[in-house]
Amino acid sequence: MNVLVICLIICLLTVISYVWGKISMATTAMISLAAFVLTGCLDPNEALLNFGNSNGIMIMSMFVVAAGLQRTQFIKMISRSVNKIANGSITKVMFGYVIISIILSQFIQSPLIVFGIMSPMLIETCKDMNISPSKVMFPLGISAVATCSTLPLGSGATVAAELNGYLQANDYTQFVVSLTDPMKARLPVLIVCAVYCIFFAVKVAPDLVVNNAGAAAGGRKLEERPALNPFSEKAGYIIFILTTLGLIFQQNIPRSIIAPTWLICFIGALLMVLCGVLSGREACGAMNIPMYLLFVGSMAMGSALAASGAGAVVGDFLANMATSIGNPYLIGTVFFIVPFLLTQVMQNRAVMLIFIPITIQACKSLGANPIGLIILVQAACLTAFMTPMGTPAVPLIMATGGYDIKSILKQSMIPAILFSIVSIFWVMTVMPLF
């Protein structure tokens, strides 16, 4: 039995265990990681690197930064203001939070960070409105994931250059992706996503008992803590605001002046403790270790699939299939759905590295315009929210919403179908292959 088959069997068993739910997801993730290493699907040193992954550090750091903000009176004031404007309407609340989330996602290339900024304030709003965070965390999360870098602002301004780099590397330079092409292709999904998250997603979200920090608690409430002293109170505001500004403008400031993204979050978390906003015990308690282990296991699965060549095998199969399919909409469907599904278990960057070159080569053999199709592949890879393996933001969404894998999958089905249909039909219409 070769490594590819073994890797696929381990992945299948892991997903079955997640859905089965008899073993905790963190335990399943660690068993999966060990199995990949013991069977030779994953190098031990590469497996170990997942524990120090920069996204994992960001997740843990943002848990602490968010807990620090929750410790202050700032989000209480924001919550009261939001509730006053909303006048008890959850639709108005979601309108404000979703629109801000979408705007931030155009400047910050990480949905994880956007969600980490927005979720503490929404949690406090839920407390004041007596609504479970489980009703709103998934809609907030997918608004950040599915719309990331859609507009040519901030991180979105680099998308065209990246795609042109793929075209140059594959010697297909008679076609050029313009600055506004990615926006032209993905704007309808942004609109559909906003409408769905504001008006409909709350209605299908589960109503779970979640504690104030956002972790499932089975009805247990956090004990009230005394108010912070004036210095720590102001420090909490300033640290959160500076961390947010650093993340927004990080891409536009020379590396010699500002730190990498994970370090910005880490320093923000550290300052929350040093300035007395959180005690050391409170900071450690804010870190959701089971979700971190789930993230590590998810990254290990993606690495194992990439190393085994599973993605390349699927991609080569699709390239051969494309040459025999005459209908452009069917070609678009294949090149969207397969990367979309594969990105649920592999890192989106790895899937893009595999599929975009294959897409370009398939278009070359067909004499087709590749621009719409490569944007479609990229959109599919960026729209991963159905499993904790899809994007680092999902474990954080699960933690704050108290979701298990079944509730995430259930909530994902409708938006996944909507976004797929809209993306394929729109892109293949306005950016035809022939």
Side-chain angles (χ1 to χ4, degrees):
M1 192 179 295
N2 62 36
V3 173
L4 173 58
V5 174
I6 294 172
C7 180
L8 291 175
I9 291 173
I10 295 172
C11 290
L12 178 61
L13 293 175
T14 301
V15 173
I16 290 173
S17 180
Y18 283 149
V19 176
W20 186 38
K22 297 297 183 181
I23 303 174
S24 73
M25 288 190 292
T27 302
T28 295
M30 292 298 96
I31 293 173
S32 171
L33 183 148
F36 285 129
V37 174
L38 291 173
T39 56
C41 297
L42 188 62
D43 180 79
N45 291 327
E46 188 173 354
L48 188 61
L49 288 175
N50 288 299
F51 286 92
N53 183 282
S54 61
N55 283 318
I57 296 173
M58 283 197 294
I59 289 174
M60 292 296 102
S61 298
M62 287 308 295
F63 272 130
V64 176
V65 172
L69 184 65
Q70 287 179 291
R71 187 70 176 84
T72 69
Q73 299 299 309
F74 178 76
I75 58 173
K76 290 183 174 61
M77 292 186 291
I78 294 293
S79 173
R80 293 189 193 105
S81 299
V82 169
N83 292 345
K84 185 176 181 180
I85 295 171
N87 194 27
S89 170
I90 187 63
T91 300
K92 292 180 181 178
V93 168
M94 292 308 296
F95 178 87
Y97 281 105
V98 167
I99 295 301
I100 295 172
S101 172
I102 290 173
I103 292 171
L104 286 177
S105 291
Q106 309 315 308
F107 295 93
I108 302 175
Q109 204 168 11
S110 170
L112 164 67
I113 297 301
V114 175
F115 184 79
I117 292 170
M118 298 299 299
S119 57
M121 291 178 280
L122 184 51
I123 288 173
E124 191 65 28
T125 297
C126 288
K127 285 168 57 181
D128 285 352
M129 295 182 69
N130 198 27
I131 298 170
S132 171
S134 66
K135 298 295 292 181
V136 296
M137 287 299 134
F138 182 78
L140 179 68
I142 63 170
S143 70
V145 174
T147 66
C148 181
S149 302
T150 297
L151 305 179
L153 307 168
S155 61
T158 66
V159 173
E162 180 181 354
L163 294 177
N164 283 324
Y166 282 109
L167 290 171
Q168 292 172 5
N170 289 273
D171 195 27
Y172 207 31
T173 53
Q174 58 263 51
F175 296 98
V176 177
V177 181
S178 72
L179 180 66
T180 58
D181 278 343
M183 178 188 69
K184 180 181 177 182
R186 296 182 60 202
L187 188 59
V189 167
L190 183 150
I191 295 170
V192 170
C193 178
V195 172
Y196 180 78
C197 292
I198 293 169
F199 296 101
F200 301 103
V202 173
K203 298 178 182 178
V204 298
D207 192 3
L208 306 174
V209 177
V210 181
N211 72 22
N212 293 348
R220 178 176 59 86
K221 294 183 178 180
L222 295 181
E223 60 184 64
E224 292 295 326
R225 291 170 290 180
L228 295 172
N229 62 60
F231 171 79
S232 297
E233 179 74 19
K234 292 178 182 177
Y237 305 163
I238 294 171
I239 293 167
F240 182 81
I241 292 170
L242 290 179
T243 300
T244 302
L245 290 175
L247 293 168
I248 291 174
F249 296 108
Q250 190 255 354
Q251 296 288 335
N252 306 102
I253 300 176
R255 183 69 68 189
S256 58
I257 299 176
I258 196 164
T261 304
W262 70 266
L263 190 55
I264 294 173
C265 300
F266 181 79
I267 291 173
L270 187 61
L271 288 174
M272 286 292 186
V273 177
L274 293 177
C275 294
V277 183
L278 296 172
S279 67
R281 183 185 296 274
E282 288 171 332
C284 291
M287 299 181 193
N288 193 310
I289 301 302
M291 281 299 133
Y292 172 72
L293 296 178
L294 173 61
F295 166 79
V296 171
S298 300
M299 293 299 100
M301 179 184 288
S303 299
L305 283 169
S308 70
V313 170
V314 175
D316 290 337
F317 175 77
L318 288 185
N320 294 328
M321 181 185 294
T323 59
S324 62
I325 299 176
N327 190 308
Y329 289 94
L330 291 179
I331 294 175
T333 299
V334 170
F335 275 92
F336 182 91
I337 296 298
V338 176
F340 174 78
L341 293 176
L342 198 56
T343 308
Q344 309 305 325
V345 294
M346 288 181 66
Q347 297 176 42
N348 56 15
R349 182 61 57 181
V351 177
M352 278 193 281
L353 287 172
I354 293 168
F355 275 87
I356 291 181
I358 288 172
T359 304
I360 294 171
Q361 292 301 321
C363 288
K364 285 179 72 174
S365 66
L366 293 169
N369 185 336
I371 293 176
L373 208 56
I374 61 176
I375 293 175
L376 198 60
V377 170
Q378 187 205 41
C381 294
L382 293 176
T383 313
F385 49 77
M386 297 182 72
T387 71
M389 295 82 76
T391 172
V394 175
L396 186 57
I397 294 169
M398 294 175 70
T400 53
Y403 306 123
D404 59 16
I405 189 70
K406 291 180 182 178
S407 61
I408 282 287
L409 286 171
K410 184 177 179 180
Q411 293 179 85
S412 297
M413 294 306 296
I414 295 175
I417 294 170
L418 278 175
F419 300 167
S420 298
I421 292 173
V422 172
S423 294
I424 296 164
F425 180 79
W426 174 259
V427 174
M428 290 293 95
T429 300
V430 301
M431 297 179 174
L433 291 174
F434 306 103

